[in-house]
Amino acid sequence: MSGSAVRSARVGPAPRPRRRPVIVIEDVRRSYQVTADLAVHALDGVSLRIDTGDFVAIMGSSGSGKSTLMNILGCLDLPSAGRYLLDGVDIRDMDEDEQSDLRNRKIGFIFQAFNLVPRTSALANVELPLSYAGVTRADRRRRATAALEAVGMGARLDHLPSELSGGQQQRVAVARAIVTNPSLILADEPTGNLDSRSTVDVLRIFEDLNAEGRTVVLITHENDVAERARRTIRLADGRIISDVATGAGALGTAGEAA
Ligand code: ADP
Ligand code: MG
């Protein structure tokens, strides 16, 4: 394994790596009604099971449905049809408050465009998810500092996003995603705007998060990024066209692949 850039003990106890399904989707469809007589079938019958501790890359060309799938997995969007069980609970049985509570507690999101709040320090950006969770100010500061230290940004707490490189901004975004100690990390093209050096840094953080037992779902269209994952799912036209174990040997985690 890599030299553990992430020290979980300082962010919080890592979830137990016992393997059980965290995500089960069955024949999920999502269509967008573009005009009265034109519907786009962004997901056209996708079934999938992801276990706790999996590290899954989702690949596919632009428009194949990757972001639509991630938005559904993250409860940011609902399927038009089909079932989604998150940790065994059917998300249709939850109201919007329960869904957003679940998002805040269990899921860390990372996007291609970083989505940091401008003119706000790295520390304040990372504290933000904790203010929703009713954490005291002192605790927020302590946990956000620990998360930033865990991604190697401990010396940049007071920097504004505009004062950071792309790779540094993405590390702040990763700190923000993990500060709530989520068991599931969903990342949509997280290295799409990064140079190769920063890509390696960010991928190493994902590997470390996964080594701690967190489930990681990483959307990418880059083969070398997908090679870090232990399982690669390919989408085309809103359907799964392949689902194979990958990368395990290269990472020295053979035997763990799904
Ligand atoms: P990917 O992330 O793989 O590039 P998306 O999931 O973003 O693909 O999109 C899948 C398909 O759904 C594309 O054809 C896209 O144009 C369409 N689509 C996505 N979002 C919308 C939307 N809000 N309204 C209409 N069509 C959409
Ligand atoms: Mg996309």
Side-chain angles (χ1 to χ4, degrees), residues 40-94:
V40 174
H41 301 289
L43 291 179
D44 198 15
V46 171
S47 299
L48 178 62
R49 167 188 159 149
I50 296 176
D51 286 341
T52 56
D54 265 354
F55 187 168
V56 181
I58 296 181
M59 296 196 74
S61 54
S62 180
S64 57
K66 304 181 299 295
S67 294
T68 302
L69 178 60
M70 175 172 135
N71 290 341
I72 287 174
L73 297 182
C75 300
L76 297 167
D77 186 23
L78 289 170
S80 313
R83 228 154 73 100
Y84 177 22
L85 304 180
L86 180 56
D87 266 339
V89 179
D90 193 324
I91 52 134
R92 275 177 313 197
D93 295 338
M94 289 181 226

Short mmCIF file of all heavy atoms in Angstrom, two decimals, residues 40-94:
data_model
loop_
_atom_site.label_atom_id
_atom_site.label_comp_id
_atom_site.label_asym_id
_atom_site.label_seq_id
_atom_site.Cartn_x
_atom_site.Cartn_y
_atom_site.Cartn_z
N VAL A 40 -34.91 11.52 -23.29
CA VAL A 40 -33.58 10.93 -23.32
C VAL A 40 -33.51 9.87 -22.22
O VAL A 40 -33.80 10.17 -21.06
CB VAL A 40 -32.49 12.00 -23.06
CG1 VAL A 40 -31.11 11.36 -22.94
CG2 VAL A 40 -32.50 13.05 -24.16
N HIS A 41 -33.15 8.64 -22.60
CA HIS A 41 -33.04 7.57 -21.61
C HIS A 41 -31.60 7.52 -21.11
O HIS A 41 -30.77 6.78 -21.63
CB HIS A 41 -33.49 6.24 -22.21
CG HIS A 41 -34.90 6.29 -22.69
ND1 HIS A 41 -35.97 6.34 -21.82
CD2 HIS A 41 -35.42 6.36 -23.94
CE1 HIS A 41 -37.10 6.41 -22.51
NE2 HIS A 41 -36.79 6.43 -23.79
N ALA A 42 -31.31 8.33 -20.10
CA ALA A 42 -29.93 8.45 -19.62
C ALA A 42 -29.48 7.16 -18.95
O ALA A 42 -28.32 6.76 -19.06
CB ALA A 42 -29.82 9.62 -18.65
N LEU A 43 -30.38 6.49 -18.22
CA LEU A 43 -30.11 5.16 -17.68
C LEU A 43 -31.23 4.26 -18.15
O LEU A 43 -32.41 4.58 -17.98
CB LEU A 43 -30.04 5.17 -16.15
CG LEU A 43 -28.86 5.89 -15.52
CD1 LEU A 43 -28.96 5.83 -14.00
CD2 LEU A 43 -27.52 5.33 -16.01
N ASP A 44 -30.85 3.13 -18.73
CA ASP A 44 -31.83 2.33 -19.44
C ASP A 44 -31.86 0.90 -18.90
O ASP A 44 -31.66 -0.06 -19.64
CB ASP A 44 -31.47 2.36 -20.94
CG ASP A 44 -32.62 1.93 -21.82
OD1 ASP A 44 -33.77 1.90 -21.34
OD2 ASP A 44 -32.37 1.63 -23.00
N GLY A 45 -32.04 0.79 -17.58
CA GLY A 45 -32.12 -0.55 -16.98
C GLY A 45 -30.78 -0.99 -16.44
O GLY A 45 -30.11 -1.85 -17.01
N VAL A 46 -30.35 -0.38 -15.33
CA VAL A 46 -29.05 -0.69 -14.73
C VAL A 46 -29.28 -1.43 -13.42
O VAL A 46 -30.06 -0.97 -12.57
CB VAL A 46 -28.24 0.61 -14.48
CG1 VAL A 46 -26.99 0.32 -13.65
CG2 VAL A 46 -27.86 1.26 -15.81
N SER A 47 -28.61 -2.58 -13.27
CA SER A 47 -28.65 -3.33 -12.02
C SER A 47 -27.21 -3.50 -11.54
O SER A 47 -26.32 -3.75 -12.35
CB SER A 47 -29.29 -4.70 -12.21
OG SER A 47 -30.62 -4.55 -12.65
N LEU A 48 -27.02 -3.37 -10.23
CA LEU A 48 -25.65 -3.28 -9.73
C LEU A 48 -25.66 -3.52 -8.24
O LEU A 48 -26.59 -3.10 -7.54
CB LEU A 48 -25.18 -1.86 -10.03
CG LEU A 48 -23.80 -1.38 -9.62
CD1 LEU A 48 -22.75 -2.20 -10.30
CD2 LEU A 48 -23.67 0.10 -10.00
N ARG A 49 -24.62 -4.22 -7.75
CA ARG A 49 -24.44 -4.35 -6.31
C ARG A 49 -23.02 -3.95 -5.97
O ARG A 49 -22.07 -4.39 -6.61
CB ARG A 49 -24.69 -5.80 -5.90
CG ARG A 49 -24.23 -6.10 -4.49
CD ARG A 49 -24.30 -7.58 -4.19
NE ARG A 49 -23.42 -7.86 -3.07
CZ ARG A 49 -23.64 -8.81 -2.18
NH1 ARG A 49 -24.69 -9.60 -2.29
NH2 ARG A 49 -22.79 -8.98 -1.20
N ILE A 50 -22.87 -3.07 -5.00
CA ILE A 50 -21.54 -2.66 -4.55
C ILE A 50 -21.44 -2.95 -3.06
O ILE A 50 -22.31 -2.55 -2.28
CB ILE A 50 -21.30 -1.16 -4.84
CG1 ILE A 50 -21.31 -0.90 -6.36
CG2 ILE A 50 -19.98 -0.69 -4.23
CD1 ILE A 50 -21.18 0.57 -6.76
N ASP A 51 -20.39 -3.69 -2.67
CA ASP A 51 -20.21 -4.06 -1.26
C ASP A 51 -19.41 -3.01 -0.51
O ASP A 51 -18.64 -2.25 -1.11
CB ASP A 51 -19.45 -5.39 -1.17
CG ASP A 51 -20.32 -6.57 -1.54
OD1 ASP A 51 -21.56 -6.43 -1.51
OD2 ASP A 51 -19.75 -7.63 -1.86
N THR A 52 -19.54 -3.00 0.79
CA THR A 52 -18.70 -2.12 1.61
C THR A 52 -17.24 -2.48 1.36
O THR A 52 -16.88 -3.66 1.26
CB THR A 52 -19.00 -2.28 3.11
OG1 THR A 52 -18.83 -3.65 3.45
CG2 THR A 52 -20.38 -1.82 3.46
N GLY A 53 -16.42 -1.47 1.25
CA GLY A 53 -14.99 -1.69 1.04
C GLY A 53 -14.60 -1.86 -0.41
O GLY A 53 -13.41 -1.95 -0.72
N ASP A 54 -15.57 -1.89 -1.33
CA ASP A 54 -15.26 -1.94 -2.76
C ASP A 54 -14.60 -0.64 -3.20
O ASP A 54 -14.83 0.42 -2.61
CB ASP A 54 -16.54 -2.12 -3.59
CG ASP A 54 -16.82 -3.58 -3.94
OD1 ASP A 54 -15.98 -4.43 -3.64
OD2 ASP A 54 -17.89 -3.84 -4.52
N PHE A 55 -13.80 -0.74 -4.25
CA PHE A 55 -13.26 0.44 -4.92
C PHE A 55 -13.60 0.27 -6.39
O PHE A 55 -13.00 -0.53 -7.09
CB PHE A 55 -11.75 0.53 -4.70
CG PHE A 55 -11.10 1.79 -5.20
CD1 PHE A 55 -9.79 2.08 -4.83
CD2 PHE A 55 -11.77 2.70 -6.01
CE1 PHE A 55 -9.16 3.24 -5.27
CE2 PHE A 55 -11.16 3.85 -6.45
CZ PHE A 55 -9.83 4.13 -6.08
N VAL A 56 -14.61 1.00 -6.83
CA VAL A 56 -15.20 0.77 -8.14
C VAL A 56 -14.97 1.98 -9.03
O VAL A 56 -15.22 3.12 -8.62
CB VAL A 56 -16.73 0.55 -8.00
CG1 VAL A 56 -17.36 0.30 -9.36
CG2 VAL A 56 -17.03 -0.59 -7.06
N ALA A 57 -14.49 1.73 -10.24
CA ALA A 57 -14.42 2.79 -11.24
C ALA A 57 -15.59 2.62 -12.20
O ALA A 57 -15.90 1.50 -12.61
CB ALA A 57 -13.11 2.72 -12.02
N ILE A 58 -16.25 3.71 -12.51
CA ILE A 58 -17.31 3.69 -13.51
C ILE A 58 -16.82 4.47 -14.72
O ILE A 58 -16.45 5.64 -14.60
CB ILE A 58 -18.62 4.26 -12.95
CG1 ILE A 58 -19.10 3.35 -11.81
CG2 ILE A 58 -19.67 4.38 -14.06
CD1 ILE A 58 -20.39 3.77 -11.17
N MET A 59 -16.75 3.76 -15.85
CA MET A 59 -16.20 4.36 -17.07
C MET A 59 -17.26 4.41 -18.16
O MET A 59 -18.27 3.71 -18.08
CB MET A 59 -15.00 3.54 -17.58
CG MET A 59 -13.84 3.52 -16.62
SD MET A 59 -12.33 2.96 -17.44
CE MET A 59 -11.92 4.40 -18.43
N GLY A 60 -16.97 5.18 -19.17
CA GLY A 60 -17.90 5.27 -20.30
C GLY A 60 -17.70 6.62 -20.96
O GLY A 60 -17.26 7.57 -20.32
N SER A 61 -18.04 6.69 -22.23
CA SER A 61 -17.81 7.95 -22.94
C SER A 61 -18.79 9.00 -22.47
O SER A 61 -19.74 8.72 -21.73
CB SER A 61 -17.92 7.71 -24.45
OG SER A 61 -19.15 7.10 -24.72
N SER A 62 -18.56 10.22 -22.88
CA SER A 62 -19.41 11.34 -22.51
C SER A 62 -20.85 11.05 -22.94
O SER A 62 -21.08 10.60 -24.06
CB SER A 62 -18.87 12.59 -23.20
OG SER A 62 -19.66 13.68 -22.88
N GLY A 63 -21.78 11.27 -22.02
CA GLY A 63 -23.18 11.05 -22.35
C GLY A 63 -23.65 9.63 -22.09
O GLY A 63 -24.82 9.31 -22.32
N SER A 64 -22.78 8.76 -21.57
CA SER A 64 -23.17 7.35 -21.38
C SER A 64 -24.03 7.15 -20.12
O SER A 64 -24.57 6.07 -19.93
CB SER A 64 -21.92 6.46 -21.33
OG SER A 64 -21.04 6.88 -20.31
N GLY A 65 -24.11 8.18 -19.27
CA GLY A 65 -24.99 8.07 -18.10
C GLY A 65 -24.26 8.02 -16.77
O GLY A 65 -24.89 7.81 -15.72
N LYS A 66 -22.96 8.27 -16.77
CA LYS A 66 -22.17 8.15 -15.54
C LYS A 66 -22.64 9.12 -14.45
O LYS A 66 -22.85 8.72 -13.30
CB LYS A 66 -20.68 8.41 -15.84
CG LYS A 66 -20.09 7.51 -16.90
CD LYS A 66 -18.61 7.79 -17.13
CE LYS A 66 -18.26 9.20 -17.59
NZ LYS A 66 -18.78 9.53 -18.94
N SER A 67 -22.77 10.38 -14.80
CA SER A 67 -23.17 11.37 -13.79
C SER A 67 -24.61 11.14 -13.33
O SER A 67 -24.92 11.31 -12.14
CB SER A 67 -23.03 12.80 -14.33
OG SER A 67 -21.67 13.09 -14.55
N THR A 68 -25.44 10.72 -14.24
CA THR A 68 -26.82 10.41 -13.86
C THR A 68 -26.83 9.28 -12.83
O THR A 68 -27.54 9.36 -11.81
CB THR A 68 -27.63 9.98 -15.11
OG1 THR A 68 -27.59 11.05 -16.06
CG2 THR A 68 -29.07 9.67 -14.76
N LEU A 69 -25.99 8.26 -13.06
CA LEU A 69 -25.91 7.15 -12.12
C LEU A 69 -25.37 7.63 -10.77
O LEU A 69 -25.92 7.29 -9.71
CB LEU A 69 -25.01 6.04 -12.69
CG LEU A 69 -24.79 4.83 -11.79
CD1 LEU A 69 -26.11 4.15 -11.44
CD2 LEU A 69 -23.84 3.83 -12.46
N MET A 70 -24.32 8.45 -10.80
CA MET A 70 -23.76 8.91 -9.53
C MET A 70 -24.77 9.76 -8.76
O MET A 70 -24.87 9.65 -7.54
CB MET A 70 -22.49 9.71 -9.75
CG MET A 70 -22.01 10.26 -8.42
SD MET A 70 -20.42 11.04 -8.42
CE MET A 70 -20.82 12.49 -7.47
N ASN A 71 -25.51 10.60 -9.47
CA ASN A 71 -26.50 11.43 -8.77
C ASN A 71 -27.56 10.58 -8.10
O ASN A 71 -28.04 10.91 -7.01
CB ASN A 71 -27.14 12.42 -9.74
CG ASN A 71 -26.15 13.50 -10.18
OD1 ASN A 71 -25.14 13.72 -9.52
ND2 ASN A 71 -26.44 14.13 -11.29
N ILE A 72 -27.90 9.48 -8.73
CA ILE A 72 -28.88 8.58 -8.12
C ILE A 72 -28.25 7.86 -6.93
O ILE A 72 -28.85 7.79 -5.85
CB ILE A 72 -29.45 7.60 -9.18
CG1 ILE A 72 -30.39 8.38 -10.11
CG2 ILE A 72 -30.18 6.43 -8.51
CD1 ILE A 72 -30.91 7.60 -11.29
N LEU A 73 -27.02 7.35 -7.10
CA LEU A 73 -26.36 6.67 -5.99
C LEU A 73 -26.21 7.59 -4.78
O LEU A 73 -26.29 7.15 -3.64
CB LEU A 73 -24.97 6.15 -6.41
CG LEU A 73 -24.94 5.09 -7.52
CD1 LEU A 73 -23.51 4.66 -7.80
CD2 LEU A 73 -25.83 3.90 -7.17
N GLY A 74 -26.01 8.89 -5.04
CA GLY A 74 -25.83 9.85 -3.96
C GLY A 74 -27.12 10.46 -3.46
O GLY A 74 -27.09 11.39 -2.66
N CYS A 75 -28.25 9.94 -3.93
CA CYS A 75 -29.57 10.48 -3.53
C CYS A 75 -29.71 11.95 -3.85
O CYS A 75 -30.41 12.70 -3.15
CB CYS A 75 -29.85 10.27 -2.04
SG CYS A 75 -29.85 8.57 -1.54
N LEU A 76 -29.02 12.39 -4.91
CA LEU A 76 -29.21 13.76 -5.38
C LEU A 76 -30.32 13.78 -6.42
O LEU A 76 -30.81 14.84 -6.80
CB LEU A 76 -27.91 14.29 -6.01
CG LEU A 76 -26.72 14.42 -5.06
CD1 LEU A 76 -25.43 14.64 -5.85
CD2 LEU A 76 -26.94 15.55 -4.07
N ASP A 77 -30.70 12.59 -6.88
CA ASP A 77 -31.71 12.45 -7.92
C ASP A 77 -32.40 11.11 -7.70
O ASP A 77 -31.82 10.22 -7.07
CB ASP A 77 -31.00 12.48 -9.29
CG ASP A 77 -31.98 12.48 -10.46
OD1 ASP A 77 -33.14 12.90 -10.28
OD2 ASP A 77 -31.56 12.06 -11.56
N LEU A 78 -33.61 10.98 -8.19
CA LEU A 78 -34.34 9.73 -8.01
C LEU A 78 -34.51 9.03 -9.36
O LEU A 78 -34.65 9.69 -10.38
CB LEU A 78 -35.73 10.02 -7.42
CG LEU A 78 -35.75 10.47 -5.96
CD1 LEU A 78 -37.14 10.95 -5.58
CD2 LEU A 78 -35.29 9.33 -5.04
N PRO A 79 -34.50 7.70 -9.37
CA PRO A 79 -34.75 6.98 -10.62
C PRO A 79 -36.18 7.23 -11.11
O PRO A 79 -37.08 7.47 -10.30
CB PRO A 79 -34.60 5.50 -10.23
CG PRO A 79 -34.11 5.44 -8.84
CD PRO A 79 -34.30 6.79 -8.22
N SER A 80 -36.37 7.16 -12.43
CA SER A 80 -37.73 7.20 -12.97
C SER A 80 -38.43 5.88 -12.71
O SER A 80 -39.64 5.81 -12.57
CB SER A 80 -37.70 7.45 -14.48
OG SER A 80 -36.83 8.49 -14.82
N ALA A 81 -37.63 4.81 -12.69
CA ALA A 81 -38.17 3.47 -12.38
C ALA A 81 -37.04 2.61 -11.83
O ALA A 81 -35.87 2.92 -12.02
CB ALA A 81 -38.74 2.83 -13.66
N GLY A 82 -37.42 1.55 -11.15
CA GLY A 82 -36.43 0.64 -10.57
C GLY A 82 -36.24 0.91 -9.09
O GLY A 82 -36.83 1.83 -8.53
N ARG A 83 -35.43 0.06 -8.47
CA ARG A 83 -35.29 0.12 -7.03
C ARG A 83 -33.87 0.49 -6.63
O ARG A 83 -32.90 0.08 -7.27
CB ARG A 83 -35.58 -1.28 -6.45
CG ARG A 83 -36.53 -1.29 -5.28
CD ARG A 83 -37.23 -2.62 -5.21
NE ARG A 83 -36.33 -3.67 -4.74
CZ ARG A 83 -36.32 -4.12 -3.48
NH1 ARG A 83 -37.15 -3.62 -2.59
NH2 ARG A 83 -35.52 -5.10 -3.13
N TYR A 84 -33.73 1.26 -5.56
CA TYR A 84 -32.41 1.57 -5.01
C TYR A 84 -32.43 1.35 -3.51
O TYR A 84 -33.17 2.02 -2.78
CB TYR A 84 -32.02 3.01 -5.35
CG TYR A 84 -30.69 3.44 -4.74
CD1 TYR A 84 -29.72 2.49 -4.36
CD2 TYR A 84 -30.38 4.78 -4.58
CE1 TYR A 84 -28.51 2.89 -3.81
CE2 TYR A 84 -29.17 5.18 -4.04
CZ TYR A 84 -28.24 4.23 -3.65
OH TYR A 84 -27.04 4.62 -3.11
N LEU A 85 -31.64 0.39 -3.07
CA LEU A 85 -31.48 0.13 -1.63
C LEU A 85 -30.11 0.63 -1.21
O LEU A 85 -29.09 0.20 -1.74
CB LEU A 85 -31.57 -1.37 -1.33
CG LEU A 85 -32.80 -2.12 -1.78
CD1 LEU A 85 -32.70 -3.59 -1.38
CD2 LEU A 85 -34.06 -1.51 -1.18
N LEU A 86 -30.08 1.58 -0.28
CA LEU A 86 -28.82 2.08 0.26
C LEU A 86 -28.72 1.59 1.69
O LEU A 86 -29.59 1.90 2.51
CB LEU A 86 -28.79 3.61 0.19
CG LEU A 86 -27.53 4.29 0.72
CD1 LEU A 86 -26.28 3.79 0.01
CD2 LEU A 86 -27.64 5.80 0.55
N ASP A 87 -27.69 0.77 1.97
CA ASP A 87 -27.57 0.13 3.28
C ASP A 87 -28.86 -0.60 3.65
O ASP A 87 -29.31 -0.55 4.80
CB ASP A 87 -27.24 1.17 4.36
CG ASP A 87 -25.74 1.26 4.59
OD1 ASP A 87 -25.02 0.29 4.25
OD2 ASP A 87 -25.30 2.29 5.12
N GLY A 88 -29.45 -1.23 2.65
CA GLY A 88 -30.62 -2.06 2.89
C GLY A 88 -31.94 -1.30 2.97
O GLY A 88 -32.99 -1.92 3.13
N VAL A 89 -31.89 0.01 2.84
CA VAL A 89 -33.12 0.80 2.95
C VAL A 89 -33.53 1.32 1.58
O VAL A 89 -32.71 1.90 0.86
CB VAL A 89 -32.94 1.98 3.93
CG1 VAL A 89 -34.21 2.81 4.03
CG2 VAL A 89 -32.49 1.49 5.29
N ASP A 90 -34.76 1.08 1.20
CA ASP A 90 -35.28 1.57 -0.08
C ASP A 90 -35.44 3.08 0.00
O ASP A 90 -36.18 3.59 0.86
CB ASP A 90 -36.63 0.91 -0.36
CG ASP A 90 -37.08 1.12 -1.81
OD1 ASP A 90 -36.82 2.22 -2.36
OD2 ASP A 90 -37.68 0.20 -2.37
N ILE A 91 -34.76 3.80 -0.87
CA ILE A 91 -34.77 5.26 -0.74
C ILE A 91 -36.16 5.85 -1.02
O ILE A 91 -36.45 6.97 -0.59
CB ILE A 91 -33.71 5.96 -1.61
CG1 ILE A 91 -33.78 5.49 -3.06
CG2 ILE A 91 -32.32 5.75 -1.08
CD1 ILE A 91 -33.71 6.64 -3.98
N ARG A 92 -37.01 5.07 -1.69
CA ARG A 92 -38.38 5.59 -1.90
C ARG A 92 -39.18 5.63 -0.62
O ARG A 92 -40.20 6.32 -0.53
CB ARG A 92 -39.11 4.74 -2.94
CG ARG A 92 -38.81 5.17 -4.36
CD ARG A 92 -39.49 4.25 -5.33
NE ARG A 92 -39.26 2.85 -4.96
CZ ARG A 92 -39.45 1.82 -5.77
NH1 ARG A 92 -39.92 2.03 -6.98
NH2 ARG A 92 -39.22 0.60 -5.37
N ASP A 93 -38.72 4.87 0.39
CA ASP A 93 -39.42 4.88 1.68
C ASP A 93 -38.97 6.04 2.57
O ASP A 93 -39.46 6.17 3.69
CB ASP A 93 -39.18 3.55 2.43
CG ASP A 93 -39.81 2.38 1.68
OD1 ASP A 93 -40.73 2.63 0.87
OD2 ASP A 93 -39.36 1.24 1.90
N MET A 94 -38.04 6.85 2.07
CA MET A 94 -37.56 7.99 2.87
C MET A 94 -38.14 9.28 2.32
O MET A 94 -38.27 9.43 1.10
CB MET A 94 -36.03 8.11 2.76
CG MET A 94 -35.27 7.04 3.46
SD MET A 94 -33.52 7.40 3.21
CE MET A 94 -32.95 5.80 2.77
#
